[in-house]
Amino acid sequence: QVELAESGGGSAEAGGSLKLSCTYSSRFYSRLCLGWFRQAPGKEREGVGIIDRDGITKYERSVKDRFIISQDNAKKILFLQMNNLKSEDTAMYYCAADRVSWYLIPNYEYWGQGTQVTVSS
């Protein structure tokens, strides 16, 4: 069982920055694959970026070089630093976890409730 809770969403202007956090807890799993996903109204959920159990990151093409995933293993917090935001980044952002990596495919077993990000142009 893994529990996740996102925070840090809000509004920003195009070109601005936001930092999302995801606090996670697991009673049984010491190492997890973690990811950030987003879903805009009327669109399917898509992968933003993931970090696997070895700390290797992978990003969706449109956010590469703008978004950075990091984690604090000791505090069990996953971060998503979002820079140079664009209006198309507007979506509900979710963090997800699983024992295996699904890379950017939203097949992860555990999900947070999401946090809204709105970017105005």
Side-chain angles (χ1 to χ4, degrees), residues 4-23:
L4 307 105
E6 304 92 339
S7 62
S11 299
E13 293 186 354
S17 298
L18 283 173
K19 187 173 185 177
L20 306 183
S21 299
C22 173
T23 302

Side-chain angles (χ1 to χ4, degrees), residues 29-43:
Y29 310 127
S30 59
R31 297 174 70 189
L32 292 166
C33 299
L34 302 162
W36 286 101
F37 294 78
R38 65 187 180 186
Q39 188 166 17
K43 294 187 177 182

Side-chain angles (χ1 to χ4, degrees), residues 66-77:
R66 297 192 297 124
F67 291 8
I68 300 170
I69 289 177
S70 60
Q71 62 178 348
D72 183 327
N73 287 320
K75 296 182 178 179
K76 293 188 176 180
I77 305 176

Side-chain angles (χ1 to χ4, degrees), residues 60-117:
E60 193 271 330
R61 184 177 299 179
S62 71
V63 308
K64 194 176 182 181
D65 299 327
R66 297 192 297 124
F67 291 8
I68 300 170
I69 289 177
S70 60
Q71 62 178 348
D72 183 327
N73 287 320
K75 296 182 178 179
K76 293 188 176 180
I77 305 176
L78 178 71
F79 300 102
L80 180 66
Q81 176 68 46
M82 303 185 294
N83 301 317
N84 190 20
L85 284 163
K86 303 178 180 181
S87 58
E88 52 262 43
D89 295 320
T90 295
M92 184 72 77
Y93 282 71
Y94 300 88
C95 63
D98 205 323
R99 289 168 290 171
V100 298
S101 178
W102 295 95
Y103 297 98
L104 296 174
I105 300 171
N107 283 353
Y108 289 70
E109 184 170 0
Y110 304 101
W111 293 84
Q113 294 297 311
T115 186
Q116 179 67 38
V117 170

